[in-house]
Amino acid sequence: MEHKRIAFIGAGNMARSIIAGLTASGYPADLITATDPNQSQRDTLSHTYGIKTQEDNSQAATHADVIVLAVKPQLMEVVGEGLKNIDFTHKLVISIAAGISAARLNEMLGATLNLVRVMPNTPALVGRGMSGLYAPTHVTQQDKDFSAGLMAAVGRVCWVEEESGINNVIAAAGSAPAYFFLFMEAMQAEAIAQGFDKDTARLLVEQSALVPQKWSWRIKTPSYQHCENR
């Protein structure tokens, strides 16, 4: 994976997971910057991963080759307003905000972006994610490869040909973990009904759900495919 200067705009759970995956795989920490309005959050990120942190989104984005938009969708318009002064001409923008189209992101940031939309799911938080990616036709293969490599740090990836396919990824992979969690919750309830205490019941179910290391889906190099979406 090519090493570029990355700015994570927003440092929530998903951003922290990607940062953790990147640094664990050997990506230079000094090339990664994350922004967050909370000083203690920034200090924790810097101490844990050795990355740079700051409060100013615009300054971080200005000095980056790759900008990862990792704020909540409802905050994107406000954040975008503060980034409209950026020259995006030679920058790759990766958005992990659900539900915001490429056209809307272009509008929010006031530019025609070199953009890749990504839809990860919650297993990415433990390095077992499944992410769908979409890029408009003008995005280069080099930038697509970088985007795939970024998300490969937290699991597996696949590409969709049409932007509408991202919504299908949300349905198939984004929402799917909730059903597994519901199933595990029901198993735990039944174990309690069988006489186990709550902690033991939870342990029994959690250990049963763990994936053996030899079956791990975690990968260290970009490996991806196209999602067949008919």
Side-chain angles (χ1 to χ4, degrees):
M1 181 180 179
E2 186 179 358
H3 291 165
K4 298 183 178 185
R5 294 170 297 175
I6 307 173
F8 286 84
I9 307 302
N13 289 335
M14 192 58 68
R16 287 198 297 270
S17 298
I18 298 171
I19 291 167
L22 287 171
T23 54
S25 65
Y27 200 95
D30 62 349
L31 294 181
I32 301 174
T33 299
T35 66
D36 194 283
N38 187 294
Q39 179 68 55
S40 63
Q41 291 274 45
R42 297 198 301 271
D43 291 344
T44 298
L45 284 167
S46 181
H47 176 74
T48 304
Y49 304 111
I51 67 169
K52 301 174 183 177
T53 62
Q54 61 182 67
E55 186 176 0
D56 191 323
N57 292 337
S58 179
Q59 187 176 9
T62 297
H63 295 97
D65 303 308
V66 180
I67 301 167
V68 181
L69 300 175
V71 298
K72 296 182 186 303
Q74 62 267 30
L75 299 177
M76 189 64 77
E77 187 166 8
V78 174
V79 170
E81 194 65 34
L83 297 176
K84 282 188 174 180
N85 63 316
I86 304 297
D87 181 2
F88 290 99
T89 305
H90 301 294
K91 298 181 186 294
L92 168 62
V93 178
I94 299 172
S95 171
I96 61 174
I100 304 182
S101 69
R104 181 64 177 133
L105 286 166
N106 288 337
E107 181 182 345
M108 287 178 174
L109 274 69
T112 300
L113 302 170
N114 187 34
L115 174 70
V116 173
R117 282 190 62 194
V118 178
M119 185 60 225
N121 63 3
T122 54
L125 303 180
V126 292
R128 301 292 189 271
M130 183 67 230
S131 300
L133 295 87
Y134 164 77
T137 55
H138 66 271
V139 176
T140 67
Q141 188 62 48
Q142 181 182 25
D143 283 338
K144 290 176 68 175
D145 288 344
F146 185 90
S147 302
L150 185 88
M151 297 313 299
V154 290
R156 298 291 296 270
V157 303
C158 72
W159 289 92
V160 294
E161 296 290 346
E162 304 293 335
E163 188 170 14
S164 60
I166 286 290
N167 296 327
N168 299 330
V169 171
I170 293 172
S175 302
Y179 295 102
F180 289 101
F181 297 150
L182 183 63
F183 178 66
M184 292 173 67
E185 186 178 81
M187 290 178 65
Q188 182 179 341
E190 179 59 26
I192 292 172
Q194 295 292 333
F196 293 101
D197 63 78
K198 182 179 178 180
D199 290 340
T200 302
R202 178 166 182 159
L203 179 63
L204 288 168
V205 174
E206 287 181 344
Q207 287 300 114
S208 298
L210 287 176
V211 177
Q213 187 64 33
K214 66 178 181 179
W215 294 348
S216 172
W217 289 293
R218 182 72 174 270
I219 53 177
K220 296 182 183 292
T221 56
S223 176
Y224 51 87
Q225 63 191 60
H226 287 280
C227 296
E228 294 295 334
N229 182 237
R230 299 188 177 92

